[in-house]
């Protein structure tokens, strides 16, 4: 059986080489971006490997320039590393480069683009974006839920205080903040919350979401995504992805979506102020705008794109604050001065605290949660700078390198919040050197939730605790682990949290 498979792959390899040779003879001459010399079938894969993280792509940019092309098997991968070209991709030619590439693993987890984040640019995307905006991404929603956010953060603080080890050997604060983030988003989605980290349903949900992230963010499957003839070797991996996908969607449906439907059927119509996100989404389904699968993939997007990314940024921010006690004290002094000692920070306060805002901006600069943004694609042949970009190329904007290139930033490898005090650079993308949420049509709408939640959580922790490294350590480890789209901390930080009177 294995010999037959090998012979088949060899025959397919020879046939593909011939087809590529013929197509090159017939194809018109394009002015392509620079890049390493590619070989048939494999392109540059044998040279650069699977690990296309933000740092490796930054090193290639230093060699090949602000725009370069990698031939990864059958895929054209164009990497952009300058503010001007980022503006072209995300803003000036936002329509031309506004689609999404396919990916064998993300096709599984999104039902081949039935969600909002990974769907191609077009009518389905516009419909999904509109349906998700009303219940999630408006200032009205922020004001509707700010008290629930503040309550969840206060509950997390009290739980941390109750743990004796918090103030002695330290705890992984992230674990309690993860429960907080799930409660914040599930309150908005389903009017549900989990009572503790040991809640069986929460444990199942967290485990499945974690497995989904691990499988999707890994670089291990790139070879099969880039080079179709190698895809048979991915069968086991893709089978696991499909099993995790089905278990997650079943959990979302049975325990949350259907439960909300049952509740609605027994209590009758609810007022606009009583509606939660799933009520708006189910109304869109009832009108025939979306189907049941679309509903579940919206829930899938929120579980990953809203909860996990915000949590990553929160953990990075806490780690840097622990490692820079002088910055921690400056935030505490600002809170005491602006609000009064012991007065808990609230959502409206967050915009009146410039130093706290600068710390959050610096966290998002140095440790960008989505360092390459979500990949873009041009459906048709396009121009970018002075180069021709073949149709259906995968376009990566290396937003991390834009925000960490010493050509544009002073001491970019250092955590210096003060750099954001003297200028007007905002996380919303008014400066193309700094794009933590992207910008333009395919920017992350979750910015309207993430920024106040980050400020509230970090502000309340600093008001309540002196945050320190564990005994015997001078700092916590801020080594990073990059994935297909993510940048998260390698080892979850153990932090000592000594209550402040």
């Amino acid at each position: 059986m294995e010999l037959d498979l090998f012979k088949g792959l060899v025959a397919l390899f020879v046939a593909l080489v011939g087809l590529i040779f013929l197509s090159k003879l017939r194809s018109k001459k394009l002015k392509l971006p620079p890049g390493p010399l590619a070989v048939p079938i494999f392109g540059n894969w044998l040279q650069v490997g699977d690990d296309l993280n933000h740092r490796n792509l930054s090193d290639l940019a230093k060699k090949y320039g602000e725009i370069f092309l990698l031939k990864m098997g059958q895929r054209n991968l164009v990497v952009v590393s300058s503010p001007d070209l980022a503006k072209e991709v995300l803003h000036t030619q936002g329509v031309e480069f506004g689609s999404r590439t396919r990916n064998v693993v993300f096709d599984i987890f999104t039902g081949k683009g039935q969600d909002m984040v990974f769907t191609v640019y077009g009518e389905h995307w516009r419909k999904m974006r509109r349906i998700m905006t009303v219940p999630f991404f408006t200032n009205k929603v922020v004001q509707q839920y700010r008290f629930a956010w503040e309550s969840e953060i206060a509950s997390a603080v009290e739980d941390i205080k109750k743990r004796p080890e918090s103030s002695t050997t330290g705890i992984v604060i992230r674990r309690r903040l993860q429960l907080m983030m799930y409660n914040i988003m599930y309150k908005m989605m389903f009017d549900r919350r989990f009572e503790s980290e040991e809640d069986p349903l929460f444990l199942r949900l967290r485990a499945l979401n974690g497995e989904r992230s691990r499988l999707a963010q890994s670089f291990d499957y790139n070879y099969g995504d880039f080079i179709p003839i190698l895809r048979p070797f991915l069968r086991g991996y893709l089978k696991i992805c499909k099993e995790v996908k089905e278990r997650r969607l079943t959990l979302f449906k049975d325990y949350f979506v259907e439960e909300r439907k049952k509740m609605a059927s027994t209590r009758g119509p609810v007022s606009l102020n009583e509606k939660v996100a799933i009520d708006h989404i189910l109304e869109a389904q009832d009108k025939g705008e979306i189907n049941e699968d679309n509903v579940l993939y919206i829930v899938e997007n929120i579980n990953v794109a809203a909860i996990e990314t915000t949590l990553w940024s929160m953990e990075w921010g806490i780690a840097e604050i622990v490692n820079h006690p002088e910055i921690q004290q400056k935030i505490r002094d600002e809170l005491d001065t602006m609000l009064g000692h012991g007065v808990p920070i609230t959502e409206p306060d967050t915009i009146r605290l410039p130093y706290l805002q600068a710390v959050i901006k610096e966290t998002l600069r140095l440790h960008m949660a989505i360092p390459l943004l979500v990949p873009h694609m041009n459906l048709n042949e396009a121009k970018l700078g002075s180069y021709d970009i073949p149709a259906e190329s995968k376009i990566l904007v290396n937003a991390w390198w834009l925000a960490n290139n010493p050509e544009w930033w002073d001491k970019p490898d250092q955590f210096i919040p003060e750099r954001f005090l003297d200028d007007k650079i905002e996380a919303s993308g008014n400066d193309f050197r700094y794009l933590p949420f992207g910008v333009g049509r395919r920017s992350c709408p979750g910015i309207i939730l993430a920024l106040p939640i980050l400020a509230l959580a970090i502000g309340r922790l600093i008001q309540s605790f002196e945050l320190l490294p564990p005994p015997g350590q001078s700092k916590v480890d801020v080594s990073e682990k990059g994935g297909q789209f993510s940048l998260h901390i390698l080892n979850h930080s153990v932090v000592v949290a000594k209550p402040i009177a």
Side-chain angles (χ1 to χ4, degrees):
M1 185 70 181
E2 290 183 2
L3 182 60
D4 290 341
L5 177 61
F6 177 76
K7 288 179 178 178
L9 290 176
V10 170
L12 187 57
F13 178 86
V14 172
L16 285 173
V17 169
L19 287 173
I20 290 169
F21 180 74
L22 288 173
S23 67
K24 286 187 177 296
L25 288 177
R26 294 172 181 171
S27 63
K28 68 176 183 178
K29 192 70 174 175
L30 298 178
K31 184 185 178 184
L32 299 174
L37 183 66
V39 300
I41 302 298
F42 299 104
N44 302 121
W45 174 59
L46 298 175
Q47 299 153 277
V48 301
D50 290 325
D51 193 353
L52 299 174
N53 70 62
H54 56 290
R55 290 187 183 272
N56 290 343
L57 293 177
S58 300
D59 290 340
L60 288 169
K62 294 171 189 175
K63 183 174 183 179
Y64 294 106
E66 61 186 21
I67 177 172
F68 62 90
L69 171 69
L70 296 176
K71 298 283 290 184
M72 303 302 290
Q74 70 173 15
R75 290 183 183 271
N76 290 307
L77 178 62
V78 177
V79 183
V80 165
S81 305
S82 78
D84 289 342
L85 289 173
K87 184 176 182 180
E88 279 289 312
V89 171
L90 304 176
H91 177 67
T92 310
Q93 297 194 72
V95 173
E96 290 84 346
F97 293 102
S99 204
R100 297 292 195 214
T101 54
R102 303 295 292 271
N103 171 308
V104 289
V105 168
F106 278 87
D107 269 1
I108 292 171
F109 286 121
T110 66
K112 295 185 177 179
Q114 294 190 65
D115 66 329
M116 182 191 79
V117 176
F118 290 95
T119 191
V120 297
Y121 182 75
E123 186 55 37
H124 177 70
W125 171 79
R126 282 188 284 270
K127 185 167 52 181
M128 293 287 275
R129 178 98 172 197
R130 173 176 53 79
I131 290 167
M132 290 184 71
T133 295
V134 171
F136 286 114
F137 306 127
T138 67
N139 280 314
K140 182 179 179 181
V141 172
V142 172
Q143 296 312 309
Q144 179 182 351
Y145 286 103
R146 52 162 281 225
F147 297 108
W149 299 353
E150 292 160 13
S151 175
E152 289 295 342
I153 293 167
S155 177
V157 166
E158 289 307 308
D159 282 353
I160 293 169
K161 283 182 179 178
K162 290 175 184 175
R163 300 181 186 184
E165 67 273 23
S166 296
S167 59
T168 54
T169 56
I171 62 168
V172 179
I173 288 181
R174 180 194 191 276
R175 291 175 185 156
R176 184 55 183 84
L177 297 180
Q178 185 177 44
L179 175 66
M180 178 196 79
M181 281 303 305
Y182 271 87
N183 280 342
I184 284 173
M185 295 311 303
Y186 271 68
K187 175 73 174 177
M188 295 174 66
M189 280 197 288
F190 301 110
D191 196 25
R192 295 276 296 275
R193 71 185 302 276
F194 307 96
E195 289 301 323
S196 74
E197 294 173 55
E198 287 73 42
D199 184 308
L201 186 56
F202 171 68
L203 290 173
R204 286 180 62 190
L205 186 62
R206 187 185 70 180
L208 281 171
N209 283 338
E211 185 68 356
R212 186 267 192 210
S213 290
R214 184 188 69 80
L215 291 165
Q217 295 295 342
S218 173
F219 292 110
D220 291 345
Y221 64 83
N222 269 353
Y223 72 91
D225 191 47
F226 297 150
I227 305 165
I229 63 170
L230 299 180
R231 208 160 285 176
F233 297 105
L234 275 183
R235 281 189 189 131
Y237 196 97
L238 299 182
K239 182 174 182 287
I240 294 171
C241 290
K242 289 172 185 174
E243 290 170 352
V244 170
K245 173 261 191 84
E246 291 303 327
R247 287 162 59 201
R248 287 178 75 237
L249 295 190
T250 299
L251 187 68
F252 297 154
K253 180 180 178 181
D254 292 350
Y255 286 88
F256 299 101
V257 176
E258 291 299 326
E259 284 296 313
R260 187 67 184 177
K261 284 182 182 179
K262 288 178 189 175
M263 189 180 298
S265 66
T266 56
R267 71 178 183 182
V270 295
S271 68
L272 187 61
N273 288 336
E274 292 176 308
K275 286 181 179 178
V276 293
I278 197 65
D279 298 326
H280 293 276
I281 294 163
L282 290 172
E283 282 182 3
Q285 182 189 350
D286 291 340
K287 293 175 184 175
E289 296 180 278
I290 55 176
N291 59 36
E292 182 180 68
D293 285 343
N294 297 144
V295 172
L296 295 176
Y297 286 117
I298 287 174
V299 177
E300 126 77 33
N301 279 177
I302 294 298
N303 270 265
V304 178
I307 295 175
E308 289 301 318
T309 53
T310 307
L311 187 62
W312 296 336
S313 297
M314 211 173 283
E315 187 172 21
W316 280 119
I318 291 168
E320 291 291 0
I321 287 164
V322 168
N323 288 349
H324 296 86
E326 72 287 356
I327 291 174
Q328 184 177 161
Q329 189 58 49
K330 285 181 182 179
I331 300 173
R332 194 172 291 117
D333 291 343
E334 180 181 66
L335 289 162
D336 287 349
T337 300
M338 298 298 293
L339 308 182
H341 182 70
V343 178
I345 183 176
T346 63
E347 187 276 330
D349 298 325
T350 58
I351 59 173
R352 301 194 295 122
L353 299 161
Y355 195 75
L356 176 59
Q357 292 289 344
V359 168
I360 291 166
K361 288 180 184 178
E362 180 69 347
T363 300
L364 297 174
R365 182 198 67 81
L366 188 58
H367 307 293
M368 205 168 289
I370 313 292
L372 301 172
L373 306 183
V374 181
H376 287 244
M377 181 180 74
N378 54 310
L379 288 172
N380 304 300
E381 186 182 308
K383 279 277 190 184
L384 187 54
S386 62
Y387 298 105
D388 299 312
I389 308 299
E392 298 189 0
S393 293
K394 181 177 182 178
I395 316 293
L396 290 178
V397 175
N398 193 341
W400 179 86
W401 183 232
L402 297 179
N404 286 270
N405 188 333
E407 184 178 344
W408 302 305
W409 300 85
D410 183 38
K411 300 176 182 176
D413 58 334
Q414 296 183 28
F415 191 80
I416 308 173
E418 286 76 9
R419 73 175 84 244
F420 286 103
L421 290 177
D422 298 330
D423 54 41
K424 301 297 181 184
I425 299 177
E426 299 295 340
S428 54
N430 67 333
D431 187 313
F432 283 84
R433 297 173 301 162
Y434 182 64
L435 302 169
F437 295 90
V439 71
R441 288 169 176 81
R442 300 307 291 257
S443 62
C444 175
I447 184 175
I448 199 167
L449 308 180
L451 292 181
I453 290 172
L454 284 170
L456 282 168
I458 291 174
R460 190 69 70 92
L461 285 170
I462 289 176
Q463 284 183 311
S464 306
F465 304 103
E466 182 184 5
L467 302 173
L468 303 164
Q473 297 183 27
S474 59
K475 293 183 180 295
V476 296
D477 183 11
V478 290
S479 299
E480 64 187 31
K481 180 173 177 55
Q484 289 279 355
F485 305 110
S486 65
L487 176 62
H488 51 90
I489 207 159
L490 179 62
N491 300 305
H492 298 316
S493 306
V494 175
V495 174
V496 172
K498 291 189 174 180
I500 294 174

